[in-house]
Amino acid sequence: SLLRNTLFLSVYSLAFGFPLPIVLALLLNEQHNPTLKKVTQMVTYMPHFISTVAVVGIIEFMVDRQAGIINVIRRAMGLDAIAFLGESGAFRTMYVVSDIWQHTGWSAIIYLAALTSVDMEALEAARIDGANQLQVNWYINIPTILPTIVVMLVLRCGSLLSVGFEKAYLLQNARNLDVSEIIATYTYRMGILQGQFSYTSAIGLFNNIINGIILIFVNAVSKKLGNASLW
């Protein structure tokens, strides 16, 4: 159950959270209005500097059954209010959506930096030949930053079982424990609260070994499929 919950949350975050910074970087790269570009960057970067405790507070404020914005809208539409924090099915979505909101803008910085190495001559030639923006991104921009994308993906897969402890623990309650109990929170309960230090050390070692195996495997696959890899 712990391993399943951790893997599900990690894969969920990876599937939806990994591509979005790339998309945002491509969109910002094509924004020629400097003022709009700076404002967009500032708005998307700012959530990264908000503490996890504050983010959880914002989530609780928005989904509160009585005064939460979402439930206020639901009641205005004639729908019943939902106790989202007590719904097992809502925990993963709240975790991943808040994670995307908080880190997408900051993660896009790496891809924006990589886009500065795009061959401008190839870009101009493509535009002269009548290529639209989608074709320019697909055939020029994305291939240019593909090594960066692969390296970031390998690093992300190397920490697949290291799901953030703070947010999962703060969003946890008795009613969503069946999906919110992950390796990090279980280790905290067993080690800090119950003093089983040898047991939790073994869990931590197992976690690191599995992460290392996944990292080596994904790196080997990326090296075999292309030229980009960590080593």
Side-chain angles (χ1 to χ4, degrees):
S1 178
L2 289 175
L3 189 59
R4 183 186 69 246
N5 290 342
T6 305
L7 276 174
F8 196 99
L9 202 58
S10 295
V11 173
Y12 192 2
S13 298
L14 182 65
F16 290 94
F18 185 77
L20 288 178
I22 302 170
V23 174
L24 178 61
L26 291 172
L27 291 174
L28 288 173
N29 187 59
E30 296 306 317
Q31 179 52 249
H32 300 297
N33 185 326
T35 303
L36 181 59
K37 185 175 182 178
K38 288 179 181 178
V39 170
T40 304
Q41 286 178 313
M42 183 183 68
V43 170
T44 54
Y45 294 172
M46 281 179 62
H48 177 78
F49 300 100
I50 301 175
S51 70
T52 303
V53 176
V55 171
V56 172
I58 293 170
I59 294 171
E60 292 178 345
F61 171 74
M62 293 186 67
V63 303
D64 183 77
R65 186 165 189 172
Q66 301 301 324
I69 297 172
I70 296 176
N71 278 318
V72 168
I73 295 173
R74 286 181 61 87
R75 281 194 291 267
M77 296 172 61
L79 302 173
D80 293 331
I82 298 176
F84 288 100
L85 290 174
E87 294 283 336
S88 295
F91 170 80
R92 289 166 177 155
T93 300
M94 288 189 295
Y95 186 100
V96 173
V97 169
S98 61
D99 208 52
I100 290 171
W101 171 72
Q102 192 174 9
H103 300 299
T104 295
W106 183 256
S107 300
I109 294 175
I110 296 172
Y111 302 111
L112 276 171
L115 283 167
T116 59
S117 62
V118 170
D119 187 347
M120 298 306 295
E121 292 184 1
L123 196 63
E124 290 300 324
R127 295 194 185 281
I128 292 172
D129 290 339
N132 57 36
Q133 190 55 52
L134 183 62
Q135 291 171 324
V136 169
N137 284 330
W138 185 257
Y139 293 107
I140 298 177
N141 289 339
I142 292 178
T144 300
I145 65 173
L146 188 59
T148 304
I149 294 173
V150 171
V151 168
M152 295 302 295
L153 180 61
V154 171
L155 290 173
R156 185 77 176 266
C157 290
S159 58
L160 203 61
L161 294 183
S162 301
V163 180
F165 162 78
E166 290 180 326
K167 191 185 297 181
Y169 184 73
L170 291 170
L171 286 173
Q172 250 180 28
N173 57 57
R175 289 185 291 178
N176 64 24
L177 198 61
D178 58 324
V179 297
S180 63
E181 185 77 304
I182 58 176
I183 292 174
T185 57
Y186 180 75
T187 303
Y188 169 76
R189 293 181 194 281
M190 292 295 103
I192 303 300
L193 301 184
Q194 298 188 24
Q196 299 184 29
F197 301 115
S198 58
Y199 176 52
T200 53
S201 297
I203 295 175
L205 179 62
F206 167 79
N207 193 30
N208 290 331
I209 290 173
I210 297 299
N211 278 333
I213 292 172
I214 294 173
L215 176 64
I216 293 170
F217 174 75
V218 175
N219 186 75
V221 171
S222 66
K223 191 173 183 179
K224 188 174 182 179
L225 296 178
N227 296 322
S229 62
L230 286 179
W231 63 83

